[in-house]
Amino acid sequence: MATLRIEKDESIHVLHPNQIVAFQGKSEQREDSLMKLPSMYRKKRLIQSRVYGPAQLMLGLPEGYSMSVVPIGDEDDLLYEFRHVLFYTGGVSFTSHLQNVKNTLITQDLVKMQFKGPGTVGLLTAGPLYQMALDPKQPLYVDIHCLIAYPRNAVLRLCVYGNTLASQHMNYHWEMTGQGHVLLQPCKPDRKLDEHMKNDSLLRRIAREVLPFGGIFIK
């Protein structure tokens, strides 16, 4: 659970209304509306909620996910993965930036969002949110499934790295250089890792990896 307290003359836009578990306030302080078409596409949802203060919300977080609140300033230049945005406060505006076709196919995300404040944005991430600095010359390699936000003027290139074996067994990464910092989630869905973490015998794990169709027949 995450608790949000909204003061008088404040409001928040909740982009995942189904996560509102409890609400304390007057009925008319919640207004649901249809999302604009671009937001419907990006969030794969039809409805968003606006809640006016004074009120209190409790938001349910999916298992394994965390909520982080990020301050947004007038000069904020980070581009966000819109699907991670749980809410933003009144006073925050956003503009959209289209990715090129190649990056869209790789990331399955057509649009990045740039927010302008003052205000805050609530992010839903797999694990706590972390920040890492960029360097103008030394590249930072980030798994594309772990990158939440990056500076608008950062230089990005899709790549893999390491020796031949390493590059053949990794997801695509962003090779990034520039000024500022990036926001990362430390976890990502990984079915194979879940299987390895289970208390299986060594023989059973080897058989699943080595035998043809072992992952199907050996449970």
Side-chain angles (χ1 to χ4, degrees):
M1 293 283 191
T3 301
L4 301 180
R5 291 180 176 86
I6 311 165
E7 302 298 333
K8 186 178 179 180
D9 299 325
E10 293 181 343
S11 66
I12 66 167
H13 300 263
V14 181
L15 303 184
H16 293 270
N18 288 341
Q19 300 308 121
I20 299 177
V21 175
F23 165 74
Q24 189 174 41
K26 297 180 180 179
S27 177
E28 59 269 21
Q29 288 175 252
R30 172 174 171 170
E31 295 179 358
D32 284 17
S33 60
L34 289 173
M35 285 186 174
K36 296 179 181 179
L37 286 176
S39 297
M40 288 183 188
Y41 169 77
R42 291 189 295 270
K43 299 297 286 184
K44 295 181 174 59
R45 280 166 172 71
L46 297 176
I47 303 295
Q48 67 179 23
S49 297
R50 186 173 188 178
V51 179
Y52 298 87
Q56 183 169 295
L57 289 178
M58 293 192 74
L59 299 176
L61 306 181
E63 184 179 0
Y65 282 79
S66 302
M67 189 192 78
S68 301
V69 178
V70 178
I72 303 295
D74 294 331
E75 303 299 324
D76 199 288
D77 70 338
L78 291 181
L79 299 180
Y80 288 81
E81 295 277 0
F82 198 62
R83 63 178 173 267
H84 289 282
V85 179
L86 178 60
F87 69 86
Y88 61 92
T89 59
V92 172
S93 60
F94 57 85
T95 55
S96 56
H97 297 268
L98 293 175
Q99 293 200 97
N100 60 40
V101 174
K102 180 180 178 181
N103 289 1
T104 298
L105 292 175
I106 293 294
T107 64
Q108 300 295 303
D109 197 1
L110 177 63
V111 178
K112 303 289 184 186
M113 305 305 298
Q114 181 177 359
F115 292 95
K116 293 290 186 181
T120 56
V121 169
L123 301 176
L124 196 60
T125 58
L129 191 68
Y130 289 91
Q131 177 177 301
M132 193 166 184
L134 290 177
D135 187 272
K137 295 183 179 179
Q138 185 174 8
L140 172 66
Y141 298 95
V142 179
D143 190 306
I144 62 171
H145 296 112
C146 295
L147 184 63
I148 303 298
Y150 59 89
R152 179 178 177 179
N153 293 320
V155 179
L156 285 78
R157 185 177 71 88
L158 280 170
C159 69
V160 291
Y161 65 94
N163 62 7
T164 302
L165 185 61
S167 63
Q168 288 177 348
H169 293 273
M170 67 169 60
N171 294 322
Y172 276 109
H173 281 59
W174 292 114
E175 180 187 281
M176 309 178 67
T177 54
Q179 301 283 350
H181 63 273
V182 298
L183 299 180
L184 308 171
Q185 63 179 2
C187 306
K188 59 184 179 179
D190 190 338
R191 180 178 55 82
K192 289 185 177 181
L193 179 60
D194 291 340
E195 291 176 355
H196 285 305
M197 293 300 290
K198 292 179 181 177
N199 190 25
D200 285 345
S201 67
L202 177 61
L203 180 61
R204 187 182 295 268
R205 291 200 302 269
I206 293 175
R208 272 208 304 265
E209 293 289 338
V210 174
L211 296 178
F213 304 107
I216 297 175
F217 296 112
I218 299 175
K219 300 295 184 184

